[in-house]
Amino acid sequence: EVQLVESGGGLVQAGGSLRLSCAASGFTFDDFDDAAIGWYRQFPGKEREGVSCISHSDGRTYYEDSVKGRFTISSDHAKKTVYLQMNSLNLEDAAVYYCAAVLSPLCPPVVAGAAGYDYWGQGTQVTVSS
């Protein structure tokens, strides 16, 4: 069964950086390469919102407008791990971050929301202090 485990969250001062990791297991090598991996975040009292996505079939990446230029998603195929490098963090970035996966050649459309993914990790907390 596919499992996703996030790590790398923690406390960081505003303006600082963190790198989140999403380790995937249960995928075959070929299936992982055909999968799309996304990052979502959830603020207190709100629904999960999309942050970024990478489609391994073509290597294309996507970002929510508020993180463009600050966050970078990448993948290590050998380790079956997807990363989210977060720079210039601000107070509005504080949330629980989740990674999600779907066996698809493309990232799910924005309109699909969280329903576009089939597998989810447990989340990792990112706290930003002023």
Side-chain angles (χ1 to χ4, degrees):
E1 182 176 342
V2 173
Q3 288 186 302
L4 305 174
V5 179
E6 304 97 334
S7 62
L11 175 64
V12 63
Q13 291 186 333
S17 299
L18 285 174
R19 188 178 74 160
L20 306 183
S21 299
C22 175
S25 62
F27 286 108
T28 66
F29 182 85
D30 289 345
D31 282 348
F32 183 80
D33 285 344
D34 288 334
I37 309 294
W39 285 96
Y40 267 65
R41 63 187 179 185
Q42 186 169 27
F43 305 105
K46 296 185 178 181
E47 300 290 333
R48 295 182 187 183
E49 65 177 41
V51 176
S52 185
C53 181
I54 183 168
S55 56
H56 288 120
S57 63
D58 57 11
R60 297 180 68 178
T61 59
Y62 304 88
Y63 300 93
E64 193 270 330
D65 287 343
S66 69
V67 308
K68 288 181 179 177
R70 299 189 299 121
F71 291 10
T72 303
I73 189 170
S74 62
S75 179
D76 186 326
H77 289 203
K79 295 181 178 179
K80 291 184 171 59
T81 299
V82 173
Y83 304 95
L84 185 67
Q85 178 67 46
M86 305 185 295
N87 298 327
S88 301
L89 287 162
N90 55 56
L91 295 176
E92 288 69 43
D93 295 316
V96 177
Y97 283 73
Y98 300 85
C99 65
V102 61
L103 188 59
S104 171
L106 301 173
C107 289
V110 174
V111 295
Y117 295 91
D118 295 326
Y119 309 101
W120 292 84
Q122 294 297 309
T124 185
Q125 177 73 54
V126 172
T127 303
V128 183
S129 63
S130 61

